């Protein structure tokens, strides 16, 4: 049973979004990455902990491509996430990760990470996606034409020029192929010419020809530009496998081989597992150490069969005792003693430029995505036509008081309720944000501001058109100032509920669960808005205080009631008259302050929900943007028995 050293170890790591690194070092100098005694443990709550990576050591250096291979669940992606500073909060790590022999974080522009999933803005074309990304990532010192030229060059390098004007496509429409999406994802991350590139399953979804083409281009980039590339890859074709310089082969979180690709076959043969003739070597390696299916494997003789577990243990022990393991240790020591330069944070677009480009991109996305606003506009028009015909010209009778009030509640309640129709689009936007934020393309504040500005014109459109239909068909007060107030309240409600649904999309990024959650929250607010149950009749604990006062329907209904009734007189059933003030204060039990204060409260809630959205996306960020130090435990017990979390300090 393996145990960790009792000596306390500290590791430093950082994500690519670090903003406070001093710019030191040569622009042409590459990045050497080393790791020693690297452990990663997943915390499973009350059920204990699980070791994901067990004491790994290795290196990656400029001009070379390191392939990380192994069966599913062996820890390939976890190793990449650990080296890139992207581990989740439920993961604890210890060991030494050094960049150019120093403890320092990765900085924006010097490293890039291409995730396994292709999370892209589906309404854009390939060319548009690259052009917008170039304007976001590249510094203001470059002209717009230079940035677009960089995007065109990267597009040509990945063979996407012919599909430049084709939309990416997604759930609603057919677009580019899976292979083209994979290449586009790589293009988006190499726009800044990083010196260190992490690739998680870069050939996923590609056929053998496309896989070779993509990896050949990547290897050429490594050779020509001195890139350091670490790629996790699952069962590559023999032509692709031969492109790699070094191989890190993992099984059950342990290293069974680390060395040159050309020496791997000899290592397996010396340990009793020779690669049969005419078989892809990578297929043979994975078959030898994959214990999910076959329980036994042929040894060096046809009569000698061993279990997969025994084969893994044999290879791992042989590697640890081999000269190759010692060579890795020596190389790691050489890189450390070289004590290379600090990595440089490269300049990127200014905050104002990021906000402008993101707003423009989001505006285009909203225009092209029918689920964002156009479908909702059609539904709103239909609903308001229904309201207008059901409550058509309600008149000035006593019964019209209830009818006018019901029409107002339907507008503020059910029109805003339909915001849940745009929820899938909100989720897709937040997924794109998380990918780009992890890569340090821009910050959460720029994203929040761009979302607010790009959506404002569309929300105004889907507020004004239905409001005009409902207002004049029902026969609300005909004065323009009253109509303007009506539209402003509807617009504030739309802005507010959009912010609320963005918060839900951030916290519950699942289509079905998010729609249910958003509908439930709005349903509670509508129920407690003072129409179905008068304010004084609401149970004081919870429903009246605080729910009645924090729900926006109170202020929307109250403002529109005042707008509609105050200053008017209606006949009552006793042959007299009832004033609008009495209707608001006595009949509906509402506060007597100005309707403009209700509008101001709604505007304040719009701001609060947007700030809450900003807080949520900051909290849910999956990257630790500042240098973190992990204090290792003093180990008196085995790694498998760890239950307490490691101590993170900023």
């Amino acid at each position: 049973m393996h145990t960790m050293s009792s000596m306390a170890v500290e590791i430093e790591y950082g994500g690519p979004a670090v903003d406070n690194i001093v710019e030191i070092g040569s622009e042409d100098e590459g990045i050497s990455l080393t790791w020693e005694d690297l452990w990663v443990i997943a915390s499973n709550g009350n059920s204990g902990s699980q070791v994901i990576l067990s004491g790994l050591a290795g290196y990656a250096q400029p001009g070379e491509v390191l392939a990380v291979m192994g069966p599913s669940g062996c820890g390939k992606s976890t190793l990449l996430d650990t080296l890139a500073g992207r581990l989740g909060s439920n993961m604890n790590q210890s060991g030494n990760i050094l960049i150019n022999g120093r403890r320092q974080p990765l900085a924006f522009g010097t490293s890039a990470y291409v995730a396994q999933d292709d999370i892209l803005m589906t309404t854009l074309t390939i060319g548009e996606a690259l052009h917008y990304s170039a304007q976001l990532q590249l510094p203001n010192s470059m002209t717009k034409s230079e940035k677009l030229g960089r995007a065109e060059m990267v597009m040509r390098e990945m063979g996407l020029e012919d599909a430049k004007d084709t939309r990416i496509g997604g759930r609603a429409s057919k677009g580019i192929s899976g292979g083209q999406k994979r290449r586009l994802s790589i293009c988006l991350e190499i726009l800044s010419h990083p010196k260190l590139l992490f690739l998680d399953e870069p050939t996923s979804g590609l056929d053998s020809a496309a896989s070779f083409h993509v990896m050949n281009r990547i290897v050429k980039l490594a050779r020509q530009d001195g890139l350091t590339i670490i790629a996790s890859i699952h069962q590559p074709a023999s032509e692709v496998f031969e492109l790699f310089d070094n191989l890190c082969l993992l099984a059950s979180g342990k290293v069974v081989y680390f060395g040159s690709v050309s020496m791997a076959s000899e290592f397996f043969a010396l340990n009793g597992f020779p690669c049969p003739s005419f078989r892809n070597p990578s297929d043979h390696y994975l078959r030898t150490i994959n214990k999910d299916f076959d329980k036994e494997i042929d040894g060096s003789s046809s009569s000698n069969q061993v279990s997969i577990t025994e084969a893994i243990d044999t290879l791992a022990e042989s590697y640890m005792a081999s000269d190759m393991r010692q060579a890795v240790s020596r190389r790691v020591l050489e890189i450390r003693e070289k004590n290379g330069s600090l990595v440089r944070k490269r300049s990127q677009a200014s905050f104002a430029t990021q906000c402008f480009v993101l707003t423009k991109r989001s505006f285009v996305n909203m225009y092209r995505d029918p689920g964002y606003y156009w479908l909702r506009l059609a539904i709103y028009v239909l609903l308001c036509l229904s309201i207008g015909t059901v409550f058509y010209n309600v008149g000035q009778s006593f019964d019209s008081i209830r009818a006018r009030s019901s029409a107002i509640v339907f507008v503020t309640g059910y029109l805003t309720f339909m915001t849940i129709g745009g929820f899938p689009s909100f989720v897709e936007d937040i997924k794109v944000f998380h990918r780009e934020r992890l890569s340090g393309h821009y910050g959460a504040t720029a994203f929040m501001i761009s979302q607010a500005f790009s959506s404002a014109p569309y929300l105004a459109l889907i507020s004004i058109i239905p409001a005009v239909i409902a207002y004049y068909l029902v026969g609300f007060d005909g004065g323009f100032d009253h109509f303007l107030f009506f539209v402003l309240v509807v617009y504030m409600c739309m802005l507010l509920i959009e912010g609320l649904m963005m918060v839900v999309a951030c916290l519950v990024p699942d289509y079905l669960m998010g729609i249910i959650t958003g509908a439930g929250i709005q349903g509670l607010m509508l129920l407690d808005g003072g129409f179905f149950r008068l304010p004084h009749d609401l149970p004081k604990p919870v429903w009246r205080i605080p729910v009645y006062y924090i729900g926006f329907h109170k202020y929307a209904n109250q403002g529109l009631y005042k707008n509609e009734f105050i200053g008017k007189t209606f006949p009552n059933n006793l042959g007299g008259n009832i004033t609008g003030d009495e209707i608001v204060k006595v009949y509906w039990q509402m506060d007597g302050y100005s309707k403009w204060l209700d509008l101001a409260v709604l505007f304040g809630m719009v701001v609060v929900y947007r700030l809450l959205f900003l807080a949520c996306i900051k909290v849910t960020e999956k990257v630790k943007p500042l240098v973190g130090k992990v204090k290792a435990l003093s180990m008196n017990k085995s790694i498998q028995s760890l239950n307490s979390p490691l101590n993170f300090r900023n």
Side-chain angles (χ1 to χ4, degrees), residues 14 48 54 102 155 201 208 213 225 240 249 319 338 408 474 479 524 531 558 577 591 630 635:
S54 306
R102 298 171 179 262
M155 197 187 314
E201 302 284 0
S208 58
H213 171 80
D225 301 335
V240 173
L249 195 58
Y319 168 73
K338 187 178 178 182
I408 286 172
V474 172
L524 289 176
F531 177 79
Q558 191 168 263
N577 292 322
D591 299 322
V630 182
M635 302 287 167

Side-chain angles (χ1 to χ4, degrees), residues 29-47:
E29 185 176 352
I31 291 179
S32 296
L33 185 66
T34 62
W35 55 97
E36 296 177 277
D37 196 25
L38 186 61
W39 294 78
V40 174
I41 307 156
S43 176
N44 298 323
N46 295 330
S47 60

Side-chain angles (χ1 to χ4, degrees), residues 126 152 155-165 183:
I126 289 178
E152 296 288 338
M155 197 187 314
R156 286 194 300 271
E157 286 178 347
M158 284 296 163
L160 292 173
E161 198 171 20
D162 291 341
K164 173 183 177 181
D165 298 321
R183 283 181 277 166

